[in-house]
Structures are given as structure tokens and as C-alpha cells.
Amino acid sequence: MSGEGSAPRFTALIAFALRPVSVAAMLTGAVVVQCAPSLPARWIDGLVAILGIVLCLLRRSRLLGIAVVAIAWTAFRADVSLSQRLPRALENDEIVVTGTVHDLPQIRDDATRFEFVVDSASRDGESISLSGLTRLSWYETPPRIGTCERWRLHVKLKRPRATINPGGFDSERYALEHGIVAVGSVRDSSENEKLGQNFCIDAFRARIVETISTALDGSISADLLPALAFGDQHAMSADEWTIARATGIPHLIAISGLHIALFASFGIGLMRLLWKCVPKLTLRLPAPIMESLASLFFAVAYALIAGFGLPTRRALVMVAALLVANLTRRAHAPIHGLALAVVVLLVADPLCVLSAGFWLSFVGVGWLMLCLQGPRRHNWRNIIRSQGVATIGLLPLGVWFFGQSSLIAPLANLIAVPVICFFVLPLGTLGAFIGAFLPAIGFPVLTATAFVLDGLWSLLESMSHLPGSLWYFAEPTPIALSFAIIGSFWLLQPRAVPARALGALLFLPLLAPIRSALPLGAFEFYLLDVGQGLAAVVRTNEHTLVYDTGPRYPSGFDLGEAAVVPAMHALGVRHVDRLIVSHGDSDHAGGAVSVADAFAPDFAESGEPERLKITASQCLAGEQWTWDDVSFRIVSPIPPLDAHGNDRCCVLDIRSGDAELLLPGDITSTIENDVIASLSPIASYIVLQAPHHGSKTSSSDAFLDALRPMLTIFSTGYLNHFHHPNAEVVERYAAKELPTLDTSETGFVHITFDGTGFHLVERGRIDRHPYWRE
């Protein structure tokens, strides 16, 4: 009897767990963990799980129990993922790994980059504990790396490590979400050897991409079609991504639910065509079941060909759950099928809540289900309305995750979505499949597809230059996000609801936050985290100055574009009054073009303007100006300009009463005494950017004794190969009891100054410390 009674009770519990309100509780539990600064010990996590199960068995506390179980499950999965990362003791050691090339390698002129699944590793001939997904770069003259090949490689690895800035991309969170355990490079060694070739679907995917490249050589579609149809974004340039973001179509480039649903619908269409051709089959095979199975087959097949990456798997689960819910008649409304999809994803991988795509996909579909209920009329009004719903409903999340939004996205999507979904995707996929085996038939299909795609892209490129195509917003607060979500819900209510337009007012804290005005004589300083380089932003009440712009690497990766510009947007900077590039070395001047293009500074100067790729004047000692009662003065270089390189740096001194900030760039001890002489008298409260990243050629005893800085900040990269800051220099500061910070450990540093001193406001990595950061 007890067994008979427990089964219905368990079934009732499962049914309760699939209710939308229960799914919301599960989501809440998963999100709570992401806000934690650290994870609990596993034995504590086990106790939490038991408590949650007990609460689930009690009728009145089931929602709380579901949330508690979700917390325990998410924390456990996160702990397991973090424990799989490269041990700290192995960082920067040279080890030998054996494994398989995963996904499609990215072949560039400077290097080949690829994902590598490690199944065994050793150091000095002894086996070590390391397995999982790594990201590797092979520089100089790498051999041709093929998908699914097995290799033994001599590598140097690090744990995933992000630069932490306002509005910056968190690569550590991305690594946790995607299961990346290490990043690094392949070393030149006789141990590097190809061991064989495995069979995998990615090999066929690589052949398809190569077919497209061959058929469309010279066309912009050779870059775009592999990304749109097969998830291979490696060939897309920065300019092409800019156009995509400005027109709001990145969701068409990432393989999403739209792609999977489209191919699932092909399966349904083919089965219905079969029923029409052979009606008697419906007497033997239930049409709904066969249509669902066919659609699921097409969805899975396309997902495999599209790379079966994390976004693709998430989209496949969502579409499959909707099909299953509909097939089993467990969904009384479409929202119940969506709830089932969320539950399946959270059970399989609760860390999916770290992904912006997860929220944009499910929230977008949820808004459309709620706002487009009623008779299904596929007319132009519903199409336009759906774009409006998506724009308003997803605007808060877009600003929260990306800090930007496109005002022309609804119009661009009205054009792009039908063209891509009903022409480019089906014909491009068909042409690539056929072209891989029968080029004479497949290539003309690809050429026709490219003709349409090139025309569409030309139109989108023109639209991307329209005013308001891309708007940037200051970094939002959770409260501002909450108000905007409520505003979305209010605006999207039925027409009968009064005063719906007032919901727009709740967007103001998100879209137009009020920045606290700095009093006259005060300024704020941000030393950004740009790895082994330098970039700083100084703001008074009405003016902004940028000092150095971060590095640009031979690969083309530009920290000015990737870190400095997004940070300035997140800080609400709209205009730069003055840009100072201390000297011409790439770790200081590499991002100058990106910053200048983004903000068009009124005036630019440098210690070595002839080495820059922007127009700049020569800075000279003696220049001075005042903004909002804050004094700025260039104290070096001193004419005649005999020095070169580091000692030609623009040294900037900023003062507010008895508080002072000194930015010496990369000067060496050779001219430090000249700088001291120019600074007299020295303020009582001085903050120093450590000269030359803490190199042993700088920060002399005489320099430090004269300044006695209250705080010194080293701007360095994590485990950089220069070994900055130098150990002797660090010891020199410590011996003099001079406090120091290092951006490789703190992330960005935010300090405010007024006439009486300074205040350390924030250290990004320390004060913004989710559990996945070290």
C-alpha cells in the first residue's frame, strides 16, 4: 500500500515542479549561487540538499524546497567545474598533454588557435592530474591542425584569468560556463606529434565550411554564411561584428532557437507532405508522433552540423522540450512547454544561468507567448508587433549584459529575419551539403545564396551608419534593472490597462542614470586592468582625460577596443577632452586608434607622436591647464628632446589642494630626479602609478624617498613574462612601508581625490568577487 501511495505523491511532486511558479523558484536558487562570493564546502552543500528535499516533501514549503535544492545542485556543479581547472602549481610550467582537437581551428597569419580536449598529461615524465577542455595558440610556424586529430603537445598553461573592468567581458565566467580548464600556448618541441585521426561530426563540418570558402572566394558571404548557417564565426572581422551589433542581428549569427526551430519545422513539413502523398500511412502511423519525431531528428541533425556548442545545445533542449510537452499533452499552454525546457536545462547544467543567451532566449520566447496570445493571425501587424515586443521586453537584459542597444534593430530584423530564415539558411545549408560531394550542383546554389546575402549585408551596413544605430549606456545597477523589467511588463500589458505609457518612466534609471556630480576641486581616477600595459581615465565634474590606451598584440587583439572603450562607456563617458599617450610603445599606445575613433578627443598629445597611428602633438614640460578647479601639468619631457623611448614619456601631475596623482608612464631612474625637481613642492597625499610597471630600472630609492607616496599602483599582466613588478622593487616599497596595489591582483582601481586627500573606492577583482574569480 505504501508503494502505491508513494507513486502518485511523487508524480504530483513532479507535476508541481513543472509549474511556471516552481520553475521561477528553481531559477531563483540557481541565480542566488551566482551572487555568492564563495562556494560552501561540499558537506555543507549536502546538508542544504537534504534540507531542500525535506521541504519539498512538505506541501506548504515546496516552493522554498525547490529553491533550496536548486541552490545545492548549482553550488555542487560549480564546485566540481572549478576543481577541474589547472592546479596553480602547474601554471607557467611546461607540460606534455595528449588529447583531441575540438571544434574548428582558427588559422591566422600569426598563429593557429584551437580548442584541445586533454585526456592525459605529464610533467618531467610523471603523470599529473589534468583533463578537460583547453584553449591553445600555436605561434610562429605551426603545422596544419585538423579537426578531430589526436596530438601529443608540449604546452605552457595558465588558469583562465580575466581582466576586470567596468563593462568588461568576464572570460573567467565564460570559462566556467563552457568548461574551459586552462589556456596557453604550444611550445616548440620535438615531442609535438600527431598521433592519429578520430571520427567526429566536426570533420564533416570543416569540410562544409571549406566548401563554402572555395565556392564563394572573394565574396563577403564567404565570411558570413559559415557563421549564419554553421556556427563558425572565426572568419568574421571586427567590422562585420560592428555592423551586426549596430543592427541588432547577433542572434542570427549565434546558432539559436530560431535556427533549430526552423529545421525542426522542415521535419514537420516533410512528414505532412508524405501524408498528402500517401494518406493511408496515417492509419498505421500516428501523424502527431511521426511529425514530432521527424522534427526532432532534423533539429538534432542540424545542431550536430552547427557544432553542438553550448548555445546550440540550449536551443535544442528548448525546442525538444516544447515538442515533447506538446506530444505527451502535458502542456496545457505553450508556457508549460517553455517551463519544461527550463527545468531540463537547469537539471542538466545549472550553470547555464551564467549565459546571456539563456536569458535572452527564454525571456524573449516568454514575452512573445504572453503578448501574442489569442487567434493566430500571421499578418504583417503581428510580425511588426512581435518585433516591438522583443525590443521592449529584451531591452533591460540587453543593457544589463552588453551595455548597448540598437534603436534600428526592430527595422533591421524585419528585413533580415525573413531573408535569412526563409532563403539564406535553407539554400545555404542545402548548397553546402550538396557542394561537399557534387560541386557542379552545389556551387551554383551557394552563389545564388551569396548574391542575396551580399545584398542584405550591404543594406545592413548602410543602416548601421544611421543616427542611433548603436547606443551605449552606463553600467546599470540591479535596482535599475529591476525597475526596467517592471516597466517592460507594464508597457506590454493589454490595451485595456490604463496608463501603460507610464511604464516607460521606469526605464529612466537604466537608460539615463544620474551621475553624482563631483564638487569643484575634486576628481576621480580609474586605473584600468589591461594586462601588461597601461590605461587610465581621469574625470573632473565636466571634463575627461585618458592617459594611455592599453596594448595591442601582433594577433590584432586590441585592449583599447576590448577593455578601455567598453569601460569608458560603462562609466558613462560620452566625450574625451584630452588624450595623452605617454610614448609609442605598443603596451601604452596600442589602443589609441580605437579610443580616438570611439570618442574623438578634442586634443591628443604624446611623448613620441611620430610613432602613433593617430594625429597628436608633442607634449612638453610646462604645459598646464585647469579643469573645474583641478590643476593639470606636464612635468616631462624637458626640452631639448634628447631622450628616446621610455624617457620621452609624458609625465602628468594632477593636483587638488593637498592631494596629488602622478602618472609617470614608463620613465626610468635616469630622469626620475628631473621629475622630482619639477614637482616641488610635493603634496602631502600622493598616489603614484608605478613607473614602468615596477621594472628594476625604475622606482629608485631617491625617487621614493622624495615622493613618499601614500599609495602606489603597479599596472601589470597576470604571470607576465617580464616578471613585473620586479621582486627587488616590491621589496624596496615594502622596506619603506609604502602601500602598493597590483592590477593583476586587484583588477581596475577607482580612487577619488579632493583637496584634503584621497579615497580608495573600489578594486574590481576584490570588491566585485563572484565565486569563480581567484
Side-chain angles (χ1 to χ4, degrees):
M1 293 294 293
S2 59
E4 294 177 1
S6 60
R9 187 174 183 181
F10 180 75
T11 303
L13 183 60
I14 295 297
F16 182 83
L18 293 178
R19 292 180 181 178
V21 66
S22 303
V23 175
M26 291 182 67
L27 274 174
T28 301
V31 171
V32 164
V33 175
Q34 314 314 319
C35 301
S38 61
L39 295 173
R42 290 194 182 180
W43 67 269
I44 296 178
D45 197 35
L47 292 178
V48 172
I50 294 172
L51 173 63
I53 293 171
V54 171
L55 291 173
C56 286
L57 296 176
L58 302 175
R59 184 180 298 274
R60 294 184 178 180
S61 59
R62 282 181 177 175
L63 282 179
L64 178 60
I66 288 173
V68 171
V69 169
I71 289 174
W73 175 235
T74 305
F76 173 75
R77 287 296 302 272
D79 187 46
V80 169
S81 296
L82 290 177
S83 67
Q84 293 173 340
R85 286 186 176 178
L86 177 75
R88 295 181 191 278
L90 297 177
E91 285 192 293
N92 261 4
D93 281 359
E94 295 194 6
I95 62 178
V96 177
V97 296
T98 302
T100 306
V101 178
H102 175 69
D103 207 348
L104 306 184
Q106 182 181 8
I107 301 174
R108 296 286 183 89
D109 293 337
D110 67 307
T112 295
R113 293 175 173 80
F114 57 98
E115 293 184 347
F116 191 73
V117 180
V118 175
D119 51 43
S120 64
S122 63
R123 179 179 61 175
D124 299 329
E126 295 185 6
S127 178
I128 57 177
S129 176
L130 176 65
S131 62
L133 182 65
T134 63
R135 285 196 163 181
L136 301 177
S137 298
W138 198 330
Y139 296 99
E140 297 177 358
T141 55
R144 184 172 181 82
I145 302 292
T147 302
C148 309
E149 291 178 350
R150 284 189 56 78
W151 282 79
R152 180 173 60 244
L153 298 173
H154 192 103
V155 298
K156 182 180 283 189
L157 300 176
K158 298 179 183 179
R159 293 164 69 91
R161 184 84 170 189
T163 55
I164 307 300
N165 295 295
F169 174 69
D170 190 345
S171 58
E172 288 174 67
R173 184 177 78 172
Y174 179 89
L176 175 63
E177 178 193 351
H178 289 79
I180 299 172
V181 300
V183 296
S185 60
V186 180
R187 317 303 290 177
D188 187 21
S189 171
S190 59
E191 294 183 275
N192 297 330
E193 180 185 4
K194 180 180 175 181
L195 302 178
Q197 173 79 48
N198 289 346
F199 170 80
C200 69
I201 196 68
D202 278 338
F204 181 58
R205 182 167 166 243
R207 181 175 178 180
I208 289 175
V209 171
E210 187 175 353
T211 298
I212 295 174
S213 179
T214 303
L216 306 180
D217 186 30
S219 167
I220 194 172
S221 295
D223 297 344
L224 298 174
L225 188 56
L228 287 166
F230 300 103
D232 179 25
Q233 304 167 8
H234 293 152
M236 286 189 63
S237 67
D239 290 340
E240 289 164 351
W241 274 112
T242 299
I243 294 170
R245 286 191 293 267
T247 52
I249 65 162
H251 67 101
L252 295 175
I253 296 173
I255 304 300
S256 63
L258 184 65
H259 298 69
I260 303 296
L262 180 65
F263 280 87
S265 67
F266 289 162
I268 294 175
L270 285 175
M271 292 308 298
R272 289 182 178 176
L273 179 62
L274 179 62
W275 304 144
K276 288 184 179 181
C277 295
V278 190
K280 292 183 179 179
L281 284 178
T282 56
L283 299 177
R284 299 190 177 206
L285 303 172
I289 294 178
M290 298 309 299
E291 288 175 4
S292 295
L293 291 176
S295 64
L296 189 59
F297 171 80
F298 272 82
V300 171
Y302 177 72
L304 291 172
I305 296 299
F308 211 62
L310 190 60
T312 307
R313 295 198 300 269
R314 184 172 56 241
L316 178 62
V317 168
M318 181 170 65
V319 171
L322 290 169
L323 287 171
V324 170
N326 185 59
L327 183 62
T328 58
R329 299 180 182 179
R330 294 291 183 185
H332 302 292
I335 197 69
H336 293 96
L338 188 67
L340 175 61
V342 175
V343 169
V344 171
L345 276 175
L346 290 177
V347 170
D349 180 19
L351 298 181
C352 65
V353 297
L354 291 170
S355 169
F358 170 86
W359 295 99
L360 294 172
S361 297
F362 283 102
V363 172
V365 173
W367 275 125
L368 292 174
M369 286 180 175
L370 290 173
C371 297
L372 300 182
Q373 292 178 350
R376 297 185 179 181
R377 297 185 297 271
H378 300 286
N379 54 34
W380 63 271
R381 289 184 180 178
N382 254 1
I383 295 175
I384 295 176
R385 189 182 173 202
S386 67
Q387 289 298 323
V389 168
T391 300
I392 295 173
L394 296 179
L395 179 58
L397 291 177
V399 175
W400 175 261
F401 284 113
F402 309 115
Q404 61 187 30
S405 183
S406 171
L407 298 184
I408 64 169
L411 177 59
N413 275 274
L414 274 176
I415 300 169
V417 169
V419 172
I420 290 175
C421 288
F422 301 118
F423 189 90
V424 173
L425 268 178
L427 282 188
T429 304
L430 180 64
F433 267 97
I434 297 176
F437 302 99
L438 298 172
I441 300 176
F443 280 22
V445 178
L446 287 173
T447 302
T449 305
F451 178 79
V452 175
L453 182 54
D454 287 351
L456 173 64
W457 197 256
S458 179
L459 176 61
L460 293 175
E461 184 176 9
S462 299
M463 295 177 71
S464 70
H465 298 302
L466 294 175
S469 60
L470 194 59
W471 282 76
Y472 296 95
F473 302 95
E475 193 170 44
T477 64
I479 294 177
L481 174 66
S482 300
F483 277 130
I485 291 174
I486 296 171
S488 298
F489 186 77
W490 195 347
L491 282 171
L492 295 175
Q493 291 298 302
R495 293 182 180 178
V497 175
R500 286 189 308 154
L502 293 178
L505 297 177
L506 295 178
F507 278 84
L508 292 179
L510 182 78
L511 304 182
I514 299 175
R515 175 185 171 229
S516 298
L518 290 168
L520 293 177
F523 68 95
E524 59 182 351
F525 166 63
Y526 290 87
L527 187 62
L528 301 180
D529 181 9
V530 291
Q532 189 61 27
L534 183 67
V537 179
V538 178
R539 303 179 76 184
T540 65
N541 185 35
E542 295 183 356
H543 297 83
T544 300
L545 177 144
V546 176
Y547 183 89
D548 282 346
T549 57
R552 178 184 175 90
Y553 297 102
S555 64
F557 182 61
D558 180 357
L559 265 295
E561 179 184 26
V564 181
V565 171
M568 293 172 67
H569 285 312
L571 296 175
V573 175
R574 294 286 178 265
H575 178 69
V576 172
D577 298 278
R578 198 177 191 107
L579 170 62
I580 299 177
V581 181
S582 63
H583 64 306
D585 286 358
S586 62
D587 58 331
H588 295 250
V593 173
S594 298
V595 173
D597 287 347
F599 294 99
D602 292 340
F603 182 72
E605 61 182 333
S606 174
E608 296 181 301
E610 68 278 3
R611 293 179 62 190
L612 303 187
K613 295 182 180 180
I614 62 171
T615 302
S617 302
Q618 174 68 54
C619 68
L620 293 171
E623 294 178 47
Q624 53 187 349
W625 65 96
T626 300
W627 287 341
D628 307 316
D629 290 347
V630 178
S631 300
F632 295 76
R633 186 161 64 101
I634 302 292
V635 298
S636 186
I638 301 172
L641 303 177
D642 297 327
H644 296 281
N646 291 345
D647 286 337
R648 276 273 294 273
C649 279
C650 294
V651 178
L652 177 64
D653 181 53
I654 308 172
R655 297 201 184 198
S656 170
D658 210 21
E660 182 176 4
L661 171 66
L662 182 63
L663 301 175
D666 274 359
I667 64 169
T668 68
S669 55
T670 304
I671 66 166
E672 285 180 347
N673 288 336
D674 295 335
V675 170
I676 291 297
S678 300
L679 288 175
S680 182
I682 296 173
S684 301
Y685 303 95
I686 184 167
V687 174
L688 172 68
Q689 166 253 313
H692 200 193
H693 318 286
S695 164
K696 62 182 179 181
T697 62
S698 305
S699 297
S700 64
D701 281 307
F703 185 70
L704 298 183
D705 288 338
L707 286 180
R708 300 299 302 177
M710 300 288 288
L711 178 64
T712 301
I713 312 172
F714 300 101
S715 180
T716 68
Y718 179 64
L719 295 179
N720 65 86
H721 65 278
F722 297 105
H723 304 292
H724 290 161
N726 180 267
E728 293 181 9
V729 173
V730 173
E731 178 58 32
R732 189 178 303 154
Y733 279 91
K736 298 177 185 297
E737 298 182 346
L738 300 176
T740 62
L741 296 175
D742 189 333
T743 57
S744 68
E745 299 173 354
T746 65
F748 78 93
V749 178
H750 177 201
I751 302 174
T752 58
F753 295 76
D754 56 31
T756 61
F758 66 90
H759 176 59
L760 179 59
V761 178
E762 187 176 12
R763 299 159 298 173
R765 178 172 289 276
I766 296 172
D767 298 319
R768 304 182 181 191
H769 194 281
Y771 66 86
W772 57 81
R773 289 187 191 151
E774 301 173 328

